[in-house]
């Protein structure tokens, strides 16, 4: 650890440094982040880019009282390092360690547990109004990236900035990147402005703002007008924000920490909302991340060799994501109606090859999940076969669009929900534990989940009608395919029953015994654990049935007829128990009970309705009880009672 960083255990320590020392401290922090993330994995490129910005904000403001609101929050490592958490970086994103995102449970310096884009400006507005009502003068700062500020929620918030009659500073951290290059009209506008800037222009703007600051605070409006006049001709980015009536400053160099300190000092005095537009470089200071920021947006541990990265050995098995991407590309070769849509997650959802191969049938709409769904609805209405590829957690943003424009119209949109289930190190903001719940209640929606690589392909073929006699027609209703952030199970865990084509609402029997009194009914990739439990019990001489449900909507009647056969049921799922697959079975069973039937027992295994902290995915599954051992134990308990 660098000499200066060693002395920094709180923002007060930072304030003891001379402003010139922040330059050296920035370098030390960059090295610290690089070293830590190379060992633990984490969000690298965005954090390397936001070091000076964060130091300057902390140098000027007092975030014990003042409020700093992070958008997404994946770029908050410098903030964590200087707010007393640097020693915890050895366990970054691990159990009993610190989260990779802001988290008020960890520190009084964090206001919200965030992880989804587009929330900082609106929450800042709320806090600013709250401060005003309580006659408090604490400063409110929202830090947001250029890809997140074009999110619909951000624009809704900007549209309401007029509600704030006091200070509120929005810092736009523009690195011209989302995870990938930013997309859309605003991104193009920003990049045109960026290209028109020289370093000297940025210096000039900084000087311009600062020259006018002595009057800020006394006559805010007048000062803003003067600044606007002096920079308007040169810097058209201001026009966009000015048209929304948001006073705009910049763009300025986001790595010039000394100037940033002066700017924050000055702009913090405004008694009015304003935007400071800052240019930074994603991945700054580490050549591999600087040249390939997408690859280092979020990374697993890696080995550094000087300024280079040693590549990791390939994993033993492919992931659900890669099987999905490969197979979708293959199906698209045969069916030119297939189009893919994603919202800023091309790589994460496995669409890189699809994009390369079918650039005219690939749409990245940026961080705009609701628009993605409605665009898909329009595509489906005009006869195409849209495949919406969005993580389970981010699809939550589109709840209403899924219902109104897709389910209500019964349009054949295929939703591919990557990162369904527990997601490991990203933790509670990113788990995909609610999708069955929020989708199952919608009429017309077909919910399916592949158990392994073979089923991943079959589920896609089913949803896209590739397995039907007239494949061009496909299914005539929306289909959801959910799968986890995981490798596919080993070949020996792919039973023959899983190789049969998917049929609407039909489960497959993997093991059946007339002597069994318990049936394990699994949904999705957790079939591997069900098979493990069956194996454990078989060795003890206990026979159980194993059913692969394949569908959570509609539920196969065959599952319910197990109850008629006197079998107890254990359902397992990588999802919240509230409103999940087990709930669907319980609801169907309740209908039977209403008709006066005495039924055997049903036990449901899945995630509790509580937050599951960052950890490995395997440990999280163990924590919620989705393991072969726990399933076997549950079966024994049922048999014994
Ligand atoms: C609603 C939502 N959709 C998608 C994501 C996934 N995501 C995380 S960071 C990121 C890119 C953010 O870009 P930007 O705000 O410009 O910040 P940068 O990483 O460039 O610093 C995306 C798309 C998310 N966090 N939230």
């Amino acid at each position: 650890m660098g000499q200066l960083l060693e002395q920094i255990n709180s923002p007060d320590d930072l304030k003891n440094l001379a402003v010139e020392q922040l330059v050296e401290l920035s370098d030390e922090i960059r090295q610290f982040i690089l070293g830590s993330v190379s060992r633990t994995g984490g969000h690298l490129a965005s954090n390397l880019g936001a070091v000076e910005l964060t130091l300057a904000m902390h140098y000027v403001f007092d975030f014990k009282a003042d409020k700093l609101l992070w958008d997404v929050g994946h770029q908050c490592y410098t903030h964590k390092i200087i707010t007393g958490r640097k020693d915890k970086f050895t366990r970054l994103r691990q159990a009993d360690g610190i989260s990779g995102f802001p988290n008020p449970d960890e520190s009084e310096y964090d206001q919200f547990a965030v992880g989804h884009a587009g929330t900082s400006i609106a929450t800042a507005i709320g806090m600013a109004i709250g401060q005003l009502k309580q006659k408090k003068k604490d400063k409110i700062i929202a830090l947001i990236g250029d890809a997140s500020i074009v999110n619909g929620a951000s624009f809704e918030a900007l549209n309401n900035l007029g509600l704030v009659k006091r200070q509120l500073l929005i810092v736009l951290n523009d690195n011209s990147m989302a995870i990938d290059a930013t997309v859309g009209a605003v991104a193009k506008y920003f990049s045109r402005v960026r290209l028109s800037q020289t370093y000297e222009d940025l210096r000039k703007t900084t000087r311009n703002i600062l020259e006018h600051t002595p009057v800020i605070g006394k006559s805010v409006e007048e000062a803003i007008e003067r600044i606007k006049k002096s920079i308007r001709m040169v810097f058209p980015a201001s026009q966009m924000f000015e048209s929304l009536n948001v006073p705009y400053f910049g763009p300025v160099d986001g790595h010039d920490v000394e100037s940033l300190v002066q700017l924050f000092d000055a702009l913090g005095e405004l008694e009015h909302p304003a935007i400071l537009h800052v240019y930074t470089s994603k991945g700054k200071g580490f050549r591999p991340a600087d040249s390939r920021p997408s690859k280092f947006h979020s990374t697993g541990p890696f080995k550094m060799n000087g300024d280079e990265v040693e590549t990791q050995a390939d994993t033993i098995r492919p992931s659900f994501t890669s099987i999905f991407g490969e197979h979708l590309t293959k199906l698209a070769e045969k069916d030119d109606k297939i189009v893919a849509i994603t919202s800023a997650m091309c790589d994460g959802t496995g669409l890189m090859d699809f994009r390369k191969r079918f650039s005219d049938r690939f749409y990245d709409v940026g961080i705009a999940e609701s628009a993605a769904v409605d665009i898909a609805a329009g595509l489906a209405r005009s006869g195409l076969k849209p495949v919406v590829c969005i993580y389970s957690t981010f699809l939550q943003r589109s709840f209403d669009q899924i219902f109104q424009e897709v389910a209500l119209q019964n349009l054949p949109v295929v939703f591919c929900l990557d990162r369904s289930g527990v997601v490991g190190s990203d933790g509670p903001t990113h788990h995909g534990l609610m999708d069955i719940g929020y989708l199952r209640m919608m009429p017309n929606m077909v919910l399916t989940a592949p158990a392994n690589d073979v089923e991943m392909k079959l589920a896609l073929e089913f949803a896209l009608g590739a397995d039907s006699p007239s494949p061009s027609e496909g299914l005539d209703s929306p289909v959801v395919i959910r799968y986890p952030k995981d490798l596919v199970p080993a070949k020996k865990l792919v039973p023959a029953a899983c190789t049969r084509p998917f049929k609407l609402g039909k489960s497959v029997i993997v093991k059946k015994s007339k002597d069994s009194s318990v049936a394990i009914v699994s949904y999705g990739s957790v079939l591997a654990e069900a098979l493990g439990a069956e194996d454990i019990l078989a060795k003890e001489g206990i026979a159980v049935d194993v059913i692969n449900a394949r569908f959570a909507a509609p539920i196969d009647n065959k599952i319910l007829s197990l109850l008629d056969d006197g079998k107890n049921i254990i359902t397992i799922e990588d999802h919240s128990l509230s409103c999940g697959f087990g709930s669907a079975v319980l609801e169907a069973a309740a209908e039977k009970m209403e008709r006066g039937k005495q039924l055997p027992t049903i036990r449901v295994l899945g995630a509790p309705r509580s937050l599951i902290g960052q950890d490995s995915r395997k440990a999280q599954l163990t924590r919620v009880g989705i393991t072969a051992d726990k399933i076997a134990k549950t079966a024994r308990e049922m048999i014994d009672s």
Side-chain angles (χ1 to χ4, degrees):
M1 195 184 300
Q3 258 185 342
L4 284 176
L5 182 55
E6 227 161 70
Q7 303 165 31
I8 308 292
N9 294 306
S10 76
D12 289 342
D13 296 335
L14 185 73
K15 289 178 182 15
N16 288 334
L17 299 183
V19 68
E20 308 82 62
Q21 290 178 292
L22 297 183
V23 177
E24 194 182 331
L25 183 63
S26 301
D27 289 342
E28 290 183 11
I29 289 183
R30 233 174 226 114
Q31 288 314 312
F32 181 87
I33 291 175
L34 193 51
S36 297
V37 175
S38 70
R39 287 185 288 275
T40 59
H43 286 93
L44 183 61
S46 310
N47 278 296
L48 292 178
V51 177
E52 288 87 357
L53 205 44
T54 312
L55 285 184
M57 288 190 300
H58 270 284
Y59 196 74
V60 172
F61 302 108
D62 168 16
F63 289 120
K64 242 187 202 152
D66 299 334
K67 314 291 180 238
L68 175 55
L69 295 147
W70 295 90
D71 211 273
V72 183
H74 61 306
Q75 71 291 61
C76 71
Y77 292 3
T78 300
H79 165 79
K80 290 204 173 195
I81 291 167
I82 60 175
T83 52
R85 287 171 271 181
K86 72 177 176 220
D87 295 340
K88 304 224 169 88
F89 269 71
T90 48
R91 299 198 58 76
L92 176 67
R93 293 157 41 102
Q94 294 169 24
D96 311 323
I98 48 168
S99 160
F101 295 94
N103 184 350
D105 290 344
E106 268 176 25
S107 166
E108 60 188 318
Y109 290 99
D110 298 0
Q111 300 301 325
F112 282 87
V114 282
H116 287 204
T119 63
S120 65
I121 302 177
T123 48
I125 291 175
M127 292 195 83
I129 295 172
Q131 293 271 318
L132 197 66
K133 294 272 178 241
Q134 294 175 64
K135 305 205 173 358
K136 287 189 182 161
K137 295 251 177 215
D138 305 332
K139 308 276 161 53
I140 311 278
I141 318 291
L143 183 114
I144 184 162
D146 55 307
S148 298
I149 205 165
V150 296
N151 178 269
S154 298
F155 269 95
E156 288 175 23
L158 286 172
N159 195 35
N160 282 296
L161 213 51
L163 295 175
V164 178
K165 311 283 181 228
R166 52 150 282 159
Q167 179 280 340
L168 191 174
L169 181 62
I170 299 166
V171 181
L172 167 58
N173 175 19
D174 179 357
N175 53 25
S176 70
M177 295 288 295
I179 293 176
D180 226 329
T182 39
V183 293
V186 180
K188 279 204 184 111
Y189 181 70
F190 281 163
S191 84
R192 267 203 314 274
V193 178
R194 195 176 178 118
L195 284 172
S196 70
Q197 310 289 300
T198 61
Y199 185 70
E200 195 34 51
D201 289 335
L202 299 187
R203 302 290 314 153
K204 210 161 117 194
T205 308
T206 305
R207 275 200 306 274
N208 250 319
I209 298 171
L210 293 173
E211 265 167 28
H212 291 85
T213 48
V215 287
I216 287 178
K218 288 181 197 144
S219 168
V220 180
E221 297 302 338
E222 189 198 335
I224 288 171
E225 270 320 304
R226 284 214 243 166
I227 295 167
K228 273 199 267 179
K229 264 188 205 130
S230 62
I231 59 181
R232 177 176 286 137
M233 302 308 289
V234 201
F235 305 114
S238 60
Q239 288 163 8
M240 188 182 98
F241 294 105
E242 280 171 17
S243 69
L244 294 170
N245 220 6
V246 186
Y248 167 95
F249 301 90
V252 297
D253 176 6
H255 297 300
D256 176 355
V257 66
E258 292 179 54
S259 295
L260 286 173
V261 165
Q262 291 182 57
L263 287 167
F264 285 131
D265 251 334
L267 297 178
E269 292 307 313
L270 289 174
E271 291 160 5
H272 196 288
I275 286 194
L276 175 65
H277 188 172
V278 171
Y279 285 161
T280 60
S281 168
K282 199 162 174 168
K284 185 171 172 65
F286 182 50
R287 207 162 52 83
D290 210 355
S291 54
R292 295 173 72 193
S294 307
K295 184 168 160 38
F296 287 93
H297 177 84
S298 175
T299 170
F302 57 90
K303 277 216 176 79
M304 283 192 296
N305 193 351
D307 209 10
E308 295 300 331
V309 172
E310 274 181 28
T311 44
Q312 306 274 296
D314 276 349
T315 47
I316 1 127
R317 294 189 303 279
S319 62
F320 276 90
T321 309
S322 65
I323 298 285
F324 160 75
E326 272 167 33
H327 204 58
L328 184 70
T329 309
K330 199 165 154 200
L331 295 179
E333 273 162 14
K334 293 189 211 129
D335 186 347
D336 60 9
K337 287 190 175 171
I338 293 176
V339 293
I341 301 158
T342 186
S343 34
M345 304 303 286
C346 177
D347 191 16
T349 55
L351 289 174
M352 298 298 263
D353 282 342
F354 188 103
R355 178 172 72 177
K356 212 187 284 165
R357 182 87 181 69
F358 302 110
S359 57
D360 57 340
R361 284 150 67 187
F362 169 84
Y363 306 98
D364 178 355
V365 300
I367 308 176
E369 287 79 6
S370 335
V373 170
D374 274 358
I375 291 170
L379 289 162
R381 182 58 96 206
S382 45
L384 294 176
K385 293 183 180 179
V387 181
V388 175
C389 309
I390 296 182
Y391 290 4
S392 165
T393 187
F394 302 137
L395 192 72
Q396 287 160 200
R397 283 283 168 94
S398 327
F399 178 75
D400 189 52
Q401 284 77 10
I402 301 171
F403 175 64
Q404 292 283 327
E405 279 73 56
V406 179
L408 193 68
Q409 328 286 334
N410 197 17
L411 283 171
V413 173
V414 179
F415 294 93
C416 292
L417 271 55
D418 204 310
R419 271 61 165 180
S420 293
V422 288
V423 294
S425 49
D426 277 340
T429 50
H430 282 63
H431 290 313
L433 289 170
M434 299 191 277
D435 54 89
I436 304 176
Y438 68 78
L439 296 166
R440 186 168 70 82
M441 65 174 117
M442 296 190 193
N444 294 322
M445 221 70 191
V446 173
L447 268 60
T448 185
N452 45 53
D453 51 341
V454 175
E455 288 206 340
M456 179 81 245
K457 296 177 191 172
L458 293 172
L460 257 182
E461 287 167 19
F462 160 80
L464 290 164
D467 61 346
S468 76
S470 50
S472 61
E473 278 166 26
L475 210 70
D476 55 6
S477 57
V479 183
V480 179
I481 306 176
R482 81 185 302 266
Y483 43 94
K485 181 190 186 185
D486 215 335
L487 304 181
V488 297
K491 285 256 169 305
K492 64 173 192 237
L493 292 170
V494 182
C498 291
T499 59
R500 276 182 241 136
F502 274 50
K503 296 233 170 334
L504 180 62
K506 295 292 173 209
S507 60
V508 286
I509 298 168
V510 177
K511 292 263 168 176
K512 188 159 178 130
S513 156
K514 62 176 171 22
D515 302 325
S516 64
S517 59
V518 171
I520 305 169
V521 183
S522 81
Y523 185 56
S525 64
V526 290
L527 175 67
E529 297 302 328
L531 291 169
E534 190 270 338
D535 197 39
I536 294 170
L537 294 165
K539 285 183 183 135
E540 297 168 13
I542 301 170
V544 289
D545 295 356
V546 178
I547 316 292
N548 173 10
R550 282 189 166 178
F551 290 86
I555 285 273
D556 192 353
N557 272 332
K558 227 170 24 200
I559 294 172
L560 297 164
S561 65
L562 291 164
L563 297 167
D564 297 327
D565 297 344
K567 304 213 182 201
N568 299 298
I569 289 180
I570 304 173
T571 64
I572 60 167
E573 63 193 301
D574 181 7
H575 185 274
S576 168
L577 284 176
S578 318
C579 314
F581 168 71
S583 303
V585 173
L586 285 170
E587 284 163 22
E591 278 177 32
K592 272 182 183 280
M593 283 185 351
E594 273 169 25
R595 284 181 245 127
K597 269 207 148 189
Q598 280 291 321
L599 294 179
T601 316
I602 301 175
R603 290 275 300 271
V604 289
L605 298 183
R609 204 166 138 260
S610 55
L611 300 175
I612 301 163
Q614 70 273 357
D615 207 335
S616 69
R617 180 173 144 78
K618 196 167 170 25
Q620 286 166 341
L621 284 172
T622 305
R623 209 181 319 163
V624 303
I626 302 294
T627 60
D629 284 336
K630 174 73 197 273
I631 301 165
K633 181 167 173 270
T634 309
R636 276 186 224 105
E637 284 166 7
M638 285 174 119
I639 292 164
D640 291 346
S641 61

